[in-house]
Short mmCIF file of all heavy atoms in Angstrom, two decimals:
data_model
loop_
_atom_site.label_atom_id
_atom_site.label_comp_id
_atom_site.label_asym_id
_atom_site.label_seq_id
_atom_site.Cartn_x
_atom_site.Cartn_y
_atom_site.Cartn_z
N MET A 174 6.53 7.94 -0.74
CA MET A 174 7.98 8.11 -0.77
C MET A 174 8.50 8.59 0.55
O MET A 174 9.53 8.08 1.04
CB MET A 174 8.41 9.18 -1.89
CG MET A 174 9.87 9.37 -1.97
SD MET A 174 10.81 7.88 -2.43
CE MET A 174 10.32 7.71 -4.07
N PHE A 175 7.84 9.51 1.21
CA PHE A 175 8.28 9.97 2.51
C PHE A 175 8.29 8.86 3.52
O PHE A 175 9.20 8.70 4.31
CB PHE A 175 7.39 11.15 2.96
CG PHE A 175 7.31 12.30 2.07
CD1 PHE A 175 6.19 13.12 2.06
CD2 PHE A 175 8.33 12.55 1.14
CE1 PHE A 175 6.07 14.24 1.22
CE2 PHE A 175 8.27 13.68 0.33
CZ PHE A 175 7.12 14.54 0.34
N ALA A 176 7.26 7.97 3.44
CA ALA A 176 7.18 6.82 4.39
C ALA A 176 8.35 5.90 4.10
O ALA A 176 8.98 5.33 5.01
CB ALA A 176 5.83 6.11 4.23
N VAL A 177 8.62 5.60 2.80
CA VAL A 177 9.73 4.69 2.47
C VAL A 177 11.10 5.22 2.90
O VAL A 177 11.86 4.52 3.49
CB VAL A 177 9.72 4.47 0.92
CG1 VAL A 177 11.01 3.78 0.47
CG2 VAL A 177 8.56 3.68 0.46
N LEU A 178 11.36 6.50 2.66
CA LEU A 178 12.60 7.10 3.01
C LEU A 178 12.71 7.17 4.55
O LEU A 178 13.87 7.00 5.09
CB LEU A 178 12.73 8.50 2.43
CG LEU A 178 12.81 8.55 0.89
CD1 LEU A 178 13.02 9.96 0.41
CD2 LEU A 178 13.97 7.64 0.38
N ASN A 179 11.67 7.36 5.25
CA ASN A 179 11.72 7.40 6.72
C ASN A 179 12.09 6.04 7.28
O ASN A 179 12.70 5.88 8.34
CB ASN A 179 10.43 7.87 7.30
CG ASN A 179 10.33 9.39 7.24
OD1 ASN A 179 11.30 10.12 7.44
ND2 ASN A 179 9.11 9.91 7.06
N ALA A 180 11.69 5.01 6.54
CA ALA A 180 11.91 3.62 6.96
C ALA A 180 13.25 3.09 6.46
O ALA A 180 13.72 2.08 6.93
CB ALA A 180 10.81 2.74 6.46
N SER A 181 13.84 3.79 5.47
CA SER A 181 15.11 3.31 4.85
C SER A 181 16.15 4.45 4.83
O SER A 181 16.15 5.25 3.85
CB SER A 181 14.83 2.84 3.42
OG SER A 181 13.77 1.90 3.43
N SER A 182 16.86 4.61 5.86
CA SER A 182 17.74 5.75 6.05
C SER A 182 18.89 5.91 4.99
O SER A 182 19.43 7.00 4.87
CB SER A 182 18.37 5.75 7.47
OG SER A 182 19.18 4.56 7.63
N GLU A 183 19.20 4.86 4.31
CA GLU A 183 20.24 4.95 3.31
C GLU A 183 19.75 5.16 1.87
O GLU A 183 20.48 5.33 0.96
CB GLU A 183 21.12 3.64 3.31
CG GLU A 183 21.74 3.38 4.68
CD GLU A 183 22.66 4.50 5.15
OE1 GLU A 183 23.42 4.95 4.30
OE2 GLU A 183 22.58 4.89 6.27
N SER A 184 18.45 5.13 1.71
CA SER A 184 17.86 5.25 0.37
C SER A 184 17.66 6.73 -0.04
O SER A 184 17.46 7.55 0.78
CB SER A 184 16.50 4.51 0.30
OG SER A 184 16.60 3.19 0.71
N THR A 185 17.65 6.92 -1.38
CA THR A 185 17.24 8.21 -1.94
C THR A 185 15.98 7.99 -2.82
O THR A 185 15.86 6.84 -3.29
CB THR A 185 18.42 8.83 -2.79
OG1 THR A 185 18.71 7.95 -3.85
CG2 THR A 185 19.61 9.09 -1.96
N GLY A 186 15.23 9.02 -3.03
CA GLY A 186 14.01 8.82 -3.80
C GLY A 186 13.71 9.97 -4.74
O GLY A 186 14.11 11.07 -4.58
#
Side-chain angles (χ1 to χ4, degrees):
M174 180 60 73
F175 303 154
V177 168
L178 294 181
N179 281 326
S181 309
S182 59
E183 301 301 316
S184 302
T185 60

